Amino acid sequence: VLVGFGRQDLMVRTVVWAAALNVVLNALLIPRLGMLGAAAATVATEALRTWLSARYAARLGMHMPPLRRFSRSAAATAAMALA
């Protein structure tokens, strides 16, 4: 979305923040939790990237649909993950 608006600079900023968070979380979590720590760091990093991208897109005038729109998909995903 950001690239479509010609705002590659915001995309780069998002990636830099996410990479920095990933390095810090990996350094903190992997020694204690191993593979689970790496997975948790990746999930947190992707959550940050998603949040920042949505925030920048909203500033450019593109608003995301409400989260409740995705509730059924999220519930199905959680059920499959637990199965």
Side-chain angles (χ1 to χ4, degrees):
V1 171
L2 297 174
V3 174
F5 277 100
R7 295 302 308 264
Q8 291 86 347
D9 60 317
L10 294 177
M11 190 57 144
V12 170
R13 189 180 302 173
T14 299
V15 170
V16 168
W17 277 108
L21 177 67
N22 192 262
V23 168
V24 170
L25 288 179
N26 278 332
L28 294 173
L29 297 177
I30 290 175
R32 295 180 190 167
L33 301 173
M35 193 168 38
L36 290 176
T42 300
V43 169
T45 299
E46 291 303 316
L48 176 68
R49 284 185 64 201
T50 301
W51 180 76
L52 284 174
S53 295
R55 183 175 165 209
Y56 292 144
R59 285 184 183 175
L60 295 173
M62 181 180 178
H63 297 285
M64 302 300 291
L67 290 178
R68 69 178 175 272
R69 179 176 181 183
F70 304 107
S71 61
R72 289 178 49 191
S73 298
T77 301
M80 288 186 285
L82 295 174

